[in-house]
Amino acid sequence: MEIFVVPDAAATGVVAAGILAAVVRSKPDAVLGVATGGSPLPAYQALAGHRLDMSGVRAFALDEYVGLPAGHPQSYGEVVRREVTERLGMDPALVRVPAGNAADPGQAAEDYDAAIRAAGGVDVQLLGIGHNGHLAFNEPGSAFSSRTRVEVLAERTRAANARYFTSESDVPRRCITQGLGTILEARHLLLMVAGTDKAGILARALHGEVSEDCPASALQLHQHVTVVADEAAAALLAPGSGQVPVRVPREAVGV
Ligand code: F6R
């Protein structure tokens, strides 16, 4: 595992975008795993600045709410369209998000998992981490072997995501999420974390017990993980824990 510590959230985006850009340059039809929420947004913004030809790049989103009408501005389908597909000039036909409004969401989840495999798997998977340690919408207790499926959102997750809706009661109760087993099959996991409120859970995920109580501790089981954290989120990472964080100064990041 490599850990980069940068001054702030904007800088996490610069470092993550550099990694993504290198993948796309070496493989113009790369399969990217894209996350939503706030953490990855600086990476999409910074990647747009690389002005790469992204027209052949494929992408799979991590998750989607179940039950939002098509075109709902807070559906992850719409968020990915705005923040990823359009911003980066990708072909919408090559960007997939789970079908949260399918008549049979369980079948849609199975089909999605199969589609990721059929594409040859994910080259680099962007991730954020929830305050309860969730990865994608794998809430505590999710099996490390889990596949893409319908899940019930934890109340804490619904409360955190209420900021995108008029009220917490508007946040859907169910979702389709890639499973932890699905995510662990990606060839490279790229976790972006910013903010003091994530410091405790980041330290637990990276240095704590590997346990399904903390889904993000599954990162410790993967061979190729890059963590890009800002100073605030990295504050509780233990020196001497085996993984030495590399501090990237502001001048090197250029933001
Ligand atoms: C989003 C996702 C979630 C978020 C997590 C952190 O697709 O799968 O796991 O990454 O909830 O959200 P933010 O980045 O908004 O703090």
Side-chain angles (χ1 to χ4, degrees), residues 86-183:
E86 292 186 353
R87 189 187 288 276
L88 299 177
M90 296 174 72
D91 178 352
L94 301 181
V95 180
R96 300 272 307 262
V97 179
N101 57 1
D104 183 347
Q107 186 61 51
E110 276 182 39
D111 294 347
Y112 194 77
D113 209 277
I116 295 171
R117 281 202 171 130
V122 170
D123 289 301
V124 54
Q125 175 66 61
L126 267 175
L127 295 166
I129 184 171
H131 295 106
N132 62 0
H134 73 215
L135 276 190
F137 281 143
N138 293 281
E139 303 287 15
S142 298
F144 286 165
S145 60
S146 54
R147 309 300 310 182
T148 306
R149 66 198 185 286
V150 176
E151 266 298 340
V152 175
L153 292 169
E155 284 311 310
R156 194 163 177 197
T157 302
R158 292 185 64 240
N161 289 6
R163 68 191 195 274
Y164 296 115
F165 292 83
T166 312
S167 76
E168 194 174 326
S169 61
D170 292 335
V171 183
R173 295 181 185 279
R174 294 191 306 153
C175 62
I176 295 175
T177 181
Q178 284 192 34
L180 291 171
T182 316
I183 292 167

Side-chain angles (χ1 to χ4, degrees), residues 4-7 10-12 14-15 18 246-255:
F4 294 108
V5 179
V6 298
T12 65
V14 173
V15 173
V246 176
R247 291 203 133 67
V248 184
R250 189 173 293 282
E251 312 79 76
V253 187
V255 288

